Amino acid sequence: MRSYLVFAMLLCFIASTALAQSGSVTASATSTPSTNSTGVTDSSPAEALVAEKTSPARLRKFEKAPVIDGILDDEVWRSAMVFKDFLQTFPGDNVAPSHPTEARIGYDAKTLYIAFHCYQDRDKVQATVAKRDDVFGDDNIRILLDTFNDQRKAYVLVFNPLGVQQDGIRTEGTGADFSVDIVMESKGVLTEDGFTIEVAVPFKSLRYEAGKGKQWGIQIFRQIIYANNESDSWMPLKRGQSTILSQTGHITGLEGISTERTLEIIPSITLSENGQRVRSFFPVPNDPGRILNGPVAYDLGVSVKYGITPTVTLDAAINPDFAQVEADAPVVLANQRFPIFFAEKRPFFLEGKEIFETPLQLLYTRTIVDPDIAAKLSGKLGRNTFGLMYASDASPGGISRGLSFLRKNANLGVLRLKRDIGQQNSIGLMATTYSFANRHNQVISIDGRFLPTPQVTTQFQAVFSNSRRFFRDLDNGGVDYRTGNGFSYTANISRNSRHWFIQAAGGGRSRDYRADLGFTPRVNTNTEAFFWEYDSDRNQKGTFVGWGINSNSNIRYDWHGHTQGWASGARVFANFQKQGFLTFGFDNYYERIFEEEFGPRRSNIRPCDPLGQSAVLPGCTFFGGSERSSNNKSISFGGGVTPGKKLSLSFSGSLGHGSLDYDFGAGPNFPRVSPAALLGLDILDPGAGNAVNLNATIALQPTDEWQLSVDYTKSRLRRQDTGLLAFDDDIYSVRSTYQFTRFIFARARIDYDSLAANVRGQFLLGWTPNPGTAFYVGYNDDLNYNGYGPFTGNLEPGLRRNGRSFFIKASYLFRRSIG
């Protein structure tokens, strides 16, 4: 492996470790300007800082709980700790905000109470009756709670002016994940001078350390939409610093908190009836079939969550309710060589998911399709974070019902350990196992993240895999059941400053590397990359708010040193008023592919005979030479604007000259159009083409309760050698949500994919008062539009139904404190 960059990054890692062990790695001081200061920059004198923000704010214990109605008229708020003197950190750089903000925090034995008063002209407040986790289009305020004070992970609690919640986990190095839901209560109201919000967060909803002398990291942000998405912060933020959580303030005084254990039980039931197009009982020539409705089916399940301690949680499920109420958005599937990533949406796997995240995704929970039972133990003890998960998945046996020895479940296990070192450094270990009939896989890895300075971050992971399974046989094109050992790695180093961000990275996976519980886009490849970006200062009040430029370069090669491709490009972007932006870029992308990546390799014993005149196998996968290459020159562009509360527009696109068509074909409407295909040969003939990719989105807010969006995606590729279309795909998506109240909504979504000649409709009525309690009634439809019949292969004009389903899903959260 010829990777000088990786070697250099490993040296950086060793140096970082030495710095951490010597204690030279320190967090930045938390400080803020005085109230009469106009702003603070990286070079501001120390005397401009307010001393009370550098010391932990001591919270006071409430004798009486406030009423959570959004109105700050409870007497107890007078005794709460006040957080004020916010600073504008975007677009401005620690300058005076457009409007003042105040927060108040107190607690009692069971609950943390938070109140916000956000001053603003009422007619400029943007607030909608949004559904949970959909508030970033509104004015909002959010609080980060680093409940272990480790500067590595924090709860993110977000609220719009009406108190609608968005919640998640922010992990340094990976960003915020808002798929996590936390049980809490909130209410907001509009006032003459802005809006006020009240929040009650039960301590049993959090994982935390508290008691005498314990501190939590805290940061409070406010976003003002009409003012170019202005972001105000309670603590100042240095733009040249790599992390957010190292710049938080602190709270203390959380004493006398009840340490009761919490038991949550969520039983669920799903009733469904499915209809599917099947062959008629008495088929006739060109018979299109008929829709046959199956019997009403039911599915019972139960999930249990037990808080063993405030820092350790046990989750278990029997036949867990993994039915999804929202299908994945359609994507372009034509000409795709590698798997496409889809986000996880199932609640059981979202709990504590940040613990199992690593630079190389060794746990991609969507590989666990239909578990009968699942259990997970996770938490943090001192500087040690751990996670242990087991699942018994019925899906592999379900797809092999004709083979009795395969009709059993796959056993899956995951172990994650991580140790904090110094202020923000960590080192971890992760292992996974997958066992099913004739498929076995074990993976073990070590990873680390180190910050030798507040501006520099290094990260690495090395993975070893052992598999007993079927591998492709490159000599004859079949498969070979054998043992394979593999290796995968990644490493990067980055530096952040006020205007610049620079990163060097490298990674790769050997040919026999497998991670059956992870997401692996490609094997037998290495990549080395370099990226830099420059961002100007921002002028919030100017027509031209700011600009930036970035550049990315990379090279890829296999484990024999053969170049697989390289790319270099640059783009510029500019920001304007009303959240307007424009971007333009150019990329030069060279791609080289080899015959053995798609089928058997050639040999002297079995010469290539694409015309089939030999009595033996053709001996080649590609028509003509055994490799292909193309130099794709592409221009990209994009932009968007939000002229008011009711409308938002965005678009992006690229035009490429030299994009490779892999000659897979794209369904009945677009058969293969390569020279070999036109000769009637069943052999691949990849070649260069001209590509067009476009996307546009219009988001409307006709009323505070009604949201409507229309999205259009186009992807087209025309071969240069034959002049024929390899494929042309248009995807239209219309989505509409009406929020009757914060917890009751109706949603309709219609997707049309021209390449698949398919129309899907999804209609849902839901009631979701809290995480765990929900009631849904839904109907899904699947139709062909001027598509080909599944039984006849003939073109069917108009709409023809393929299938439909109706379901009712209900779950209820029982939550009790024990001890």
Side-chain angles (χ1 to χ4, degrees):
M1 179 171 48
R2 300 177 299 182
S3 180
Y4 303 109
L5 179 59
V6 172
F7 178 73
M9 285 186 285
L10 288 175
L11 289 178
C12 291
F13 158 65
I14 295 171
S16 301
T17 305
L19 284 171
Q21 292 175 343
S22 67
S24 60
V25 180
T26 58
S28 65
T30 53
S31 51
T32 190
S34 60
T35 54
N36 61 358
S37 173
T38 59
V40 174
T41 65
D42 292 345
S43 59
S44 297
E47 57 268 19
L49 305 178
V50 176
E52 58 264 29
K53 286 191 180 181
T54 65
S55 300
R58 176 166 291 275
L59 302 186
R60 299 181 179 92
K61 194 171 184 179
F62 288 170
E63 297 297 330
K64 179 181 179 182
V67 177
I68 306 301
D69 56 8
I71 303 173
L72 308 185
D73 57 356
D74 298 271
E75 185 66 25
V76 294
W77 288 123
R78 296 181 181 274
S79 63
M81 176 59 66
V82 180
F83 300 78
K84 59 182 181 178
D85 298 330
F86 281 57
L87 298 165
Q88 182 188 143
T89 56
F90 180 87
D93 184 9
N94 293 324
V95 299
S98 300
H99 305 284
T101 305
E102 286 187 1
R104 296 174 182 265
I105 303 179
Y107 75 101
D108 61 22
K110 296 184 177 181
T111 307
L112 182 72
Y113 300 102
I114 312 169
F116 304 102
H117 193 161
C118 300
Y119 296 89
Q120 188 175 331
D121 296 336
R122 178 167 178 162
D123 59 351
K124 292 185 178 180
V125 174
Q126 185 157 325
T128 61
V129 186
K131 69 183 182 75
R132 187 188 185 97
D133 289 339
D134 192 20
V135 305
F136 270 145
D138 290 342
D139 289 340
N140 61 81
I141 192 156
R142 58 192 186 277
I143 182 169
L144 272 63
L145 295 175
D146 181 0
T147 55
F148 289 95
N149 194 29
D150 59 10
Q151 302 181 19
R152 292 164 176 82
K153 185 176 69 175
Y155 290 98
V156 186
L157 310 181
V158 191
F159 310 92
N160 82 348
L162 301 180
V164 179
Q165 302 168 7
Q166 182 177 38
D167 42 8
I169 302 289
R170 178 184 177 86
T171 304
E172 290 292 10
T174 59
D177 175 16
F178 290 105
S179 59
V180 179
D181 288 330
I182 297 167
V183 178
M184 57 182 170
E185 184 181 1
S186 62
K187 179 69 175 178
V189 297
L190 299 181
T191 62
E192 292 301 322
D193 57 358
F195 59 93
T196 56
I197 302 170
E198 287 181 305
V199 182
V201 185
F203 286 113
K204 60 187 177 183
S205 294
L206 307 174
R207 297 183 182 184
Y208 63 91
E209 287 184 342
K212 187 174 182 179
K214 296 292 185 179
Q215 297 182 14
W216 289 8
I218 184 172
Q219 179 62 292
I220 307 171
F221 297 96
R222 177 185 175 187
Q223 187 177 30
I224 306 173
I225 298 297
Y226 89 91
N228 288 315
N229 274 335
E230 176 182 325
S231 181
D232 300 337
S233 169
W234 176 61
M235 296 295 293
L237 293 180
K238 294 183 179 180
R239 293 187 177 179
Q241 200 147 317
S242 300
T243 64
I244 297 294
L245 298 184
S246 65
Q247 303 182 70
T248 61
H250 293 87
I251 56 176
T252 189
L254 292 166
E255 302 173 9
I257 296 176
S258 173
T259 57
E260 59 193 14
R261 298 177 177 89
T262 304
L263 177 65
E264 296 181 1
I265 302 176
I266 306 178
S268 63
I269 182 171
T270 302
L271 303 174
S272 61
E273 182 181 39
N274 298 311
Q276 188 174 2
R277 188 175 355 176
V278 299
R279 295 183 183 276
S280 299
F281 287 119
F282 303 101
V284 297
N286 297 325
D287 178 63
R290 67 190 184 93
I291 294 294
L292 177 65
N293 292 324
V296 175
Y298 69 92
D299 193 21
L300 298 173
V302 61
S303 297
V304 178
K305 179 178 179 180
Y306 180 58
I308 300 175
T309 71
T311 65
V312 179
T313 301
L314 174 66
D315 295 89
I318 301 175
N319 192 27
D321 177 20
F322 286 160
Q324 293 179 216
V325 297
E326 183 176 8
D328 297 312
V331 296
V332 177
L333 298 176
N335 208 42
Q336 294 286 343
R337 289 182 60 192
F338 306 112
I340 297 174
F341 182 87
F342 291 96
E344 180 61 84
K345 301 177 181 179
R346 299 171 295 180
F348 176 84
F349 292 119
L350 297 178
E351 168 67 27
K353 63 173 289 191
E354 72 282 352
I355 293 175
F356 298 93
E357 291 176 342
T358 58
L360 293 170
Q361 189 159 8
L362 300 187
L363 179 61
Y364 177 45
T365 50
R366 291 192 63 151
T367 61
I368 308 172
V369 179
D370 185 22
D372 289 333
I373 60 173
K376 179 165 50 179
L377 180 69
S378 58
K380 185 166 186 176
L381 298 173
R383 288 182 169 270
N384 302 304
T385 301
F386 67 92
L388 180 66
M389 184 169 70
Y390 168 80
S392 178
D393 190 4
S395 63
I399 62 177
S400 306
R401 297 190 183 279
L403 304 174
S404 59
F405 75 94
L406 291 180
R407 289 203 297 266
K408 62 178 184 178
N409 286 16
N411 291 305
L412 322 170
V414 184
L415 171 67
R416 174 63 166 159
L417 301 171
K418 189 165 69 170
R419 171 75 176 178
D420 296 343
I421 302 173
Q423 291 289 337
Q424 286 193 288
N425 312 309
S426 63
I427 191 163
L429 175 116
M430 187 162 180
T432 69
T433 180
Y434 182 101
S435 181
F436 172 73
N438 55 3
R439 180 179 164 195
H440 304 273
N441 174 249
Q442 287 78 40
V443 172
I444 188 168
S445 81
I446 184 172
D447 65 278
R449 184 171 184 267
F450 296 86
L451 281 73
T453 74
Q455 291 77 34
V456 176
T457 302
T458 63
Q459 197 169 25
F460 81 97
Q461 186 172 14
V463 188
F464 302 88
S465 71
N466 174 270
S467 305
R468 183 70 178 169
R469 57 177 294 158
F470 287 102
F471 289 87
R472 282 183 54 216
D473 188 332
L474 299 180
D475 292 322
N476 59 34
V479 293
D480 181 20
Y481 187 71
R482 62 179 175 83
T483 298
N485 296 315
F487 177 67
S488 179
Y489 69 97
T490 184
N492 67 69
I493 181 170
S494 62
R495 188 182 191 283
N496 198 28
S497 65
R498 179 180 174 85
H499 295 292
W500 290 90
F501 176 79
I502 302 173
Q503 182 180 65
R509 292 171 289 273
S510 67
R511 187 187 297 276
D512 283 353
Y513 171 78
R514 298 292 186 274
D516 286 352
L517 286 180
F519 181 78
T520 306
R522 186 179 189 178
V523 295
N524 190 28
T525 187
N526 298 275
T527 302
E528 297 174 6
F530 182 77
F531 174 85
W532 62 263
E533 178 171 318
Y534 175 85
D535 292 289
S536 73
D537 286 328
R538 304 298 174 110
N539 179 11
Q540 183 184 26
K541 299 185 182 301
T543 302
F544 185 67
V545 176
W547 65 277
I549 182 172
N550 63 47
S551 176
N552 181 55
S553 302
N554 66 69
I555 185 170
R556 299 176 310 285
Y557 52 92
D558 66 20
W559 284 65
H560 296 290
H562 302 139
T563 301
Q564 295 174 325
W566 53 261
S568 62
R571 50 196 41 81
V572 296
F573 48 91
N575 299 94
F576 307 92
Q577 291 292 321
K578 298 185 182 297
Q579 303 171 52
F581 69 95
L582 288 173
T583 180
F584 177 82
F586 175 79
D587 291 278
N588 191 10
Y589 180 82
Y590 173 75
E591 183 176 9
R592 184 186 182 197
I593 58 176
F594 301 91
E595 188 175 52
E596 65 183 54
E597 298 179 81
F598 298 81
R601 62 164 66 101
R602 304 183 186 191
S603 68
N604 294 329
I605 299 175
R606 186 162 47 89
C608 180
D609 180 24
L611 298 180
Q613 296 175 355
S614 172
V616 296
L617 293 172
C620 53
T621 303
F622 283 179
F623 182 69
S626 62
E627 67 175 72
R628 301 293 165 86
S629 63
S630 178
N631 197 8
N632 180 21
K633 295 178 171 59
S634 172
I635 60 171
S636 60
F637 50 87
V641 67
T642 304
K645 296 181 181 181
K646 308 297 184 182
L647 177 64
S648 178
L649 308 169
S650 65
F651 69 92
S652 63
S654 66
L655 305 174
H657 179 79
S659 180
L660 269 180
D661 168 36
Y662 302 119
D663 200 23
F664 296 151
N669 287 322
F670 292 97
R672 297 168 53 232
V673 294
S674 64
L678 298 181
L679 290 174
L681 301 178
D682 187 19
I683 187 170
L684 294 179
D685 189 8
N690 297 328
V692 176
N693 295 284
L694 301 171
N695 178 261
T697 300
I698 301 175
L700 301 171
Q701 185 85 39
T703 69
D704 288 346
E705 298 80 17
W706 183 22
Q707 298 182 35
L708 176 67
S709 66
V710 180
D711 186 87
Y712 169 68
T713 298
K714 183 178 189 64
S715 185
R716 184 180 71 191
L717 181 64
R718 184 182 296 275
R719 293 277 298 222
Q720 293 178 351
D721 46 16
T722 64
L724 300 175
L725 276 176
F727 64 88
D728 190 0
D729 194 5
D730 295 284
I731 298 177
Y732 302 85
S733 295
V734 179
R735 178 177 175 133
S736 178
T737 301
Y738 193 89
Q739 204 77 28
F740 298 97
T741 70
R742 284 177 55 185
F743 309 124
I744 302 175
F745 68 91
R747 184 174 70 218
R749 174 173 148 186
I750 299 176
D751 302 311
Y752 170 64
D753 187 335
S754 68
L755 187 61
N758 181 254
V759 180
R760 292 182 182 270
Q762 304 170 44
F763 307 93
L764 185 71
L765 178 66
W767 174 64
T768 55
N770 61 55
T773 299
F775 181 80
Y776 300 102
V777 178
Y779 174 77
N780 298 330
D781 218 341
D782 180 8
L783 307 99
N784 280 353
Y785 178 67
N786 294 332
Y788 289 82
F791 308 123
T792 65
N794 297 331
L795 182 65
E796 298 177 342
L799 288 170
R800 298 293 181 94
R801 179 172 282 114
N802 296 319
R804 61 191 176 193
S805 64
F806 173 81
F807 68 89
I808 298 174
K809 173 182 173 181
S811 63
Y812 188 81
L813 169 64
F814 294 93
R815 200 176 204 216
R816 295 292 182 269
S817 298
I818 301 175

